[in-house]
Amino acid sequence: MKSVILAGGSGTRLFPLSRKGLPKQFLKIGEDKSLFQKTIERNLLAVRPEDLIIITNKDYRFHIEKQLEELFKNLNSHWHIVFEPVGRNTAPAIALAVKFVLEKTDADENEVLFVCPSDHIISPSEKFAEYMKEAEKIAKEGYIVTFGVKPNKPETGYGYIEGDLKKSLGIKGIKSAYKVKKFHEKPSLEVAEEYIASGNYYWNSGMFAFTIKTILEEFEKCAPEIYEKISEKSFEEVLAEFEGMPDISIDYAVMEKTTKAVVLPLEIEWSDVGSWDAVYEVMEKDQSGNVKVGSIIDIDTRNCLILGNKRVISTVGVEDLIIVETDDVILIAKKGDGQKVRDVVKKLKESKEFKPLTEYHTTVYRPWGSFTEFEKGERYKIKRITVKPGEVLSLQLHYHRSEHWVVVKGTAKVILEDEKGELKEYFVHENESIYVPKTRKHRIMNPGKIPLEIIEVQVGEYVEEDDIVRFDDKYNR
């Protein structure tokens, strides 16, 4: 069996922590490991590292590589990472994974693929690994297994799977698995209560297992528009034409149409962490029911989620609040209204001034390191640039701004175009500086053994990130 981990989502339901440039799966909320890293560890209880296939957005390459390196220093060569040119939802992502597994690994059409998102909380991990192995047995019988979580409350934020309890599969060694009657959209509270009372409805976890042969057959029957784009084409061809794939989930494309769907009930702790309310539910609370991360001073405060960053957060006489602080945004919401955060993000996106807040934090990660924006005003911006040892920025120029670099740590190797158009090489040490005029080609390298830190002051009539013309780039941007 091979595990396909879907890590390309860019959801912002956990704004302001989750943003386009740093989505939910890569967040470390009050812990030292991200949801993505925990997903990797959980899957490795059932499969080998070489049997993991990670599907992600090309923009998240450095997040993936950095977090894998944090987990396993010596296993980077084993990882199979597939970069989608554009986001096209789960059905095309799975189709791309199928082509990759068939062509780039030792698998054939009888190989079982387990597919899961990278941003869920599941425990205990050992029990879940047993469910994965059960699903493998069922999938080998020609079924498409969907993992249904046995609900413990009438949840309105999840879709539901209706199982036919009268149609147990009777596969040897499988305790319980049933044919799927129907998939249901997120219900009202009244309908959710009816689902719970009936006993045969399960939360749709978005996890699946099937053989390659079975899913290809079902793509051909249920989603011919996808099948035609992968049939008799190489992986490279599918990747090159991926932008033409329909934007559709595997639920809509296949699961709601197939006759081979089977639900495997899971009796475990599970959450898709789809809102701040869900985060509150799964995190450890103090005696007053508060979840607190950071420097928090609370007086007569009850049942609150308070996530601090750099500031001290003081609360007095409040209850049932969500408070999340980042460098540039503070979110305050009433518990129970966590789903409305998406409305906040929508309003921000509609504003030219605030739209960038939905895309990046003040610290933005790049393949070569990161930069942090300290201050921005009319005609100027101040940033700290950190370059990892051995890394190099692109050879570039700016039409609308000049830059002044001051090295505060390490040694910078700077390539800078002179007035004659010739590229000259300079070494800039700690407490030394160099000036980069407008329209001059330049690049920074870190030739040393420690991270290079530079304070950059930009001055000009336009100081946005898209004023970059690249001539050479190690990362093919």
Side-chain angles (χ1 to χ4, degrees):
M1 181 171 64
K2 299 191 184 300
S3 288
V4 177
I5 298 175
L6 306 177
S10 59
T12 54
R13 288 183 290 176
L14 296 188
F15 179 84
L17 282 189
S18 175
R19 308 191 195 186
K20 182 180 178 181
L22 184 64
K24 179 177 64 170
Q25 59 266 30
F26 303 121
L27 295 178
K28 300 176 182 178
I29 305 176
E31 299 189 35
D32 59 355
K33 292 179 182 177
S34 69
L35 298 176
F36 168 75
Q37 289 174 319
K38 290 182 177 181
T39 301
I40 294 291
E41 290 184 326
R42 188 165 56 244
N43 277 256
L44 289 179
L45 295 176
V47 302
R48 302 171 301 173
E50 55 266 38
D51 291 327
L52 280 177
I53 295 90
I54 301 167
I55 309 293
T56 189
N57 187 301
K58 59 183 177 61
D59 294 334
Y60 300 152
R61 176 185 216 119
F62 41 93
H63 289 309
I64 294 287
E65 293 176 349
K66 180 176 182 291
Q67 295 204 352
L68 287 175
E69 184 180 355
E70 288 176 357
L71 279 181
F72 308 104
K73 296 288 185 183
N74 302 318
L75 289 180
N76 287 341
S77 61
H78 290 294
W79 306 119
H80 295 301
I81 307 175
V82 180
F83 297 102
E84 298 173 297
V86 294
R88 283 293 180 268
N89 219 315
T90 53
I94 290 172
L96 184 64
V98 166
K99 294 298 293 187
F100 179 87
V101 171
L102 278 175
E103 293 188 24
K104 307 299 182 180
T105 73
D106 57 356
D108 58 26
E109 287 194 340
N110 295 314
E111 184 81 30
V112 174
L113 301 186
F114 167 72
V115 179
C116 70
S118 60
D119 57 358
H120 292 182
I121 291 177
I122 297 174
S123 67
S125 295
E126 293 76 12
K127 187 173 182 179
F128 181 74
E130 295 176 5
Y131 281 121
M132 288 176 62
K133 294 172 183 177
E134 287 188 17
E136 181 182 15
K137 295 179 182 178
I138 300 170
K140 286 181 177 178
E141 299 296 323
Y143 295 107
I144 299 179
V145 184
T146 178
F147 290 64
V149 179
K150 189 172 182 179
N152 54 21
K153 62 179 180 178
E155 175 62 58
T156 60
Y158 301 145
Y160 283 74
I161 304 167
E162 182 181 1
D164 189 345
L165 301 189
K166 296 180 181 179
K167 294 185 178 180
S168 179
L169 302 182
I171 299 174
K172 185 178 180 181
I174 304 301
K175 298 176 183 177
S176 61
Y178 310 98
K179 293 296 291 287
V180 172
K181 271 189 175 183
K182 190 177 180 180
F183 289 85
H184 297 267
E185 298 289 343
K186 298 174 183 178
S188 65
L189 179 59
E190 293 75 18
V191 173
E193 290 173 343
E194 293 176 6
Y195 288 170
I196 297 297
S198 69
N200 66 321
Y201 285 77
Y202 306 92
W203 291 335
N204 187 350
S205 70
M207 296 183 286
F208 310 92
F210 41 72
T211 63
I212 292 176
K213 181 176 185 294
T214 299
I215 196 62
L216 286 176
E217 290 174 350
E218 295 310 288
F219 271 135
E220 185 176 16
K221 293 177 185 177
C222 305
E225 68 279 10
I226 292 178
Y227 184 77
E228 290 171 3
K229 292 184 180 299
I230 62 174
S231 178
E232 299 182 4
K233 293 184 179 180
S234 68
F235 168 76
E236 284 74 17
E237 290 173 324
V238 174
L239 194 65
E241 301 171 7
F242 193 75
E243 191 170 355
M245 284 277 195
D247 189 346
I248 187 171
S249 71
I250 193 67
D251 282 343
Y252 288 134
V254 174
M255 299 307 297
E256 295 185 359
K257 302 174 184 177
T258 183
T259 59
K260 297 182 178 180
V262 170
V263 59
L264 177 64
L266 308 182
E267 295 191 36
I268 56 176
E269 294 294 325
W270 172 87
S271 173
D272 73 348
V273 205
S275 69
W276 285 118
D277 295 297
V279 172
Y280 173 82
E281 289 183 6
V282 299
M283 293 188 71
E284 186 176 348
K285 304 164 187 64
D286 65 14
Q287 293 180 345
S288 298
N290 298 312
V291 173
K292 298 183 294 185
V293 175
S295 301
I296 313 298
I297 305 296
D298 58 305
I299 299 173
D300 296 331
T301 299
R302 293 184 295 277
N303 304 324
C304 290
L305 171 66
I306 311 172
L307 302 182
N309 183 28
K310 294 181 178 179
R311 302 172 181 86
V312 174
I313 298 180
S314 302
T315 59
V316 180
V318 299
E319 58 183 288
D320 297 325
L321 288 182
I322 296 168
I323 303 172
V324 183
E325 177 232 354
T326 64
D327 285 353
D328 51 354
V329 176
I330 297 176
L331 170 72
I332 302 174
K334 184 178 179 181
K335 269 179 57 187
D337 287 340
Q339 294 289 347
K340 294 182 181 179
V341 170
R342 66 182 65 186
D343 298 328
V344 174
V345 174
K346 181 180 178 182
K347 284 195 173 185
L348 291 172
K349 287 182 176 180
E350 293 170 352
S351 166
K352 183 178 180 179
E353 178 183 2
F354 297 125
K355 183 180 178 181
L357 292 175
T358 67
E359 298 180 349
Y360 298 105
H361 286 267
T362 53
T363 296
V364 178
Y365 294 92
R366 292 286 188 254
W368 43 261
S370 65
F371 66 84
T372 300
E373 183 179 311
F374 288 150
E375 186 175 342
K376 178 182 176 182
E378 187 176 353
R379 297 183 59 85
Y380 78 92
K381 182 188 291 185
I382 303 173
K383 301 195 305 188
R384 180 182 65 221
I385 298 174
T386 302
V387 185
K388 295 183 289 188
E391 297 297 339
V392 54
L393 280 67
S394 61
L395 180 65
Q396 58 186 255
L397 65 74
H398 313 293
Y399 284 118
H400 302 287
R401 70 174 186 254
S402 61
E403 297 175 338
H404 193 137
W405 298 332
V406 180
V407 175
V408 295
K409 181 181 179 181
T411 296
K413 181 179 179 181
V414 175
I415 306 298
L416 179 60
E417 185 180 28
D418 65 13
E419 294 179 351
K420 298 179 181 180
E422 297 179 359
L423 295 178
K424 297 293 184 67
E425 182 180 293
Y426 304 88
F427 284 93
V428 187
H429 307 96
E430 289 184 6
N431 204 30
E432 296 178 350
S433 65
I434 190 168
Y435 174 69
V436 181
K438 291 180 184 178
T439 67
R440 297 277 184 89
K441 294 178 182 177
H442 59 275
R443 79 188 319 165
I444 303 173
M445 304 177 183
N446 181 0
K449 304 295 185 182
I450 64 173
L452 168 66
E453 292 188 7
I454 294 173
I455 299 300
E456 176 182 88
V457 180
Q458 303 176 2
V459 178
E461 63 270 18
Y462 186 79
V463 291
E464 300 302 329
E465 294 302 319
D466 57 354
D467 179 24
I468 297 179
V469 180
R470 289 190 174 94
F471 298 91
D472 179 65
D473 184 50
K474 176 181 177 180
Y475 310 101
N476 298 317
R477 290 172 294 173

